[in-house]
Amino acid sequence: MRLPLALLAVAALGAAGGGGAEREEAEEARAGRFSTPEQQRCRWELRSAAGASELRLSCRAAGGGPARSCAYRGEPRRCPAFGARSRQYWRQILSRLRRRHHPCAPGAPLSARLCGPGRAPPEAQLRLLPDPGPAAPVPAPEPSEEPAQTYCAERWHSLCSFFVGFWEG
């Protein structure tokens, strides 16, 4: 009689410990894919640091056009329900993104039903980060008298000059 009771206790302790491990594994799996109603194929990646979470998206049109990237940032840990049901929170957020025709277009902040208005502070909502715009081009090095002086170490100048002269004709 004591043996089955002991096995039951060990099984209960194992299940309690395993549940936490499963949650940690689920939180580590932080990337995936989805499609929008406009048939855009999107990839997402979740990054968390210092209480803030950032959800990065990269979407490409079905015809293979250029990819559009964006990021949402917020502090879902400020929502009281997030701690116990974080998986449900992220499912609801991704469900909202799937329903958007253009997930990277400006619009209302993303919030899960768990942490909707009145249930959590506004910081818990995920807001679209401003687009940094096109990167500024890196200026080319100023041309000097000879390309060998620009691109070769000093001790190789004579050899580089020979090859540059040979290349230029």
Side-chain angles (χ1 to χ4, degrees):
M1 186 71 157
R2 288 185 184 193
L3 183 61
L5 195 55
L7 288 174
L8 182 62
V10 169
L13 288 174
E22 287 174 7
R23 186 177 346 171
E24 288 174 14
E25 288 175 16
E27 289 178 1
E28 287 178 16
R30 297 179 181 186
R33 299 178 185 176
F34 66 89
S35 295
T36 67
E38 300 264 327
Q39 298 304 313
Q40 291 184 10
R41 289 182 167 74
C42 298
R43 300 182 88 166
W44 61 269
E45 179 184 8
L46 177 64
R47 296 181 181 184
S48 297
S53 294
E54 188 169 291
L55 183 65
R56 294 178 182 247
L57 297 176
S58 177
C59 297
R60 184 179 302 272
R68 182 153 184 213
S69 298
C70 62
Y72 288 86
R73 184 177 291 155
E75 298 178 31
R77 284 178 171 71
R78 290 183 158 238
C79 172
F82 178 80
R85 298 187 286 185
S86 63
R87 287 182 72 171
Q88 185 178 3
Y89 174 88
W90 290 115
R91 273 193 224 124
Q92 289 176 4
I93 291 291
L94 289 170
S95 174
R96 299 257 168 131
L97 280 172
R98 278 188 200 101
R99 284 186 250 144
R100 288 191 174 183
H101 292 280
H102 302 284
C104 287
L110 290 173
S111 64
R113 290 181 301 276
L114 286 172
C115 303
R119 295 182 185 162
E123 296 86 22
Q125 296 177 343
L126 297 177
R127 299 183 186 280
L128 184 65
L129 295 176
D131 187 16
V138 177
E142 291 293 323
S144 61
E145 295 176 12
E146 293 185 33
Q149 291 177 348
T150 305
Y151 298 108
C152 299
E154 188 175 337
R155 65 186 245 197
W156 296 100
H157 279 194
S158 61
L159 185 61
C160 282
S161 295
F162 170 76
F163 282 111
V164 167
F166 179 75
W167 182 261
E168 290 179 349

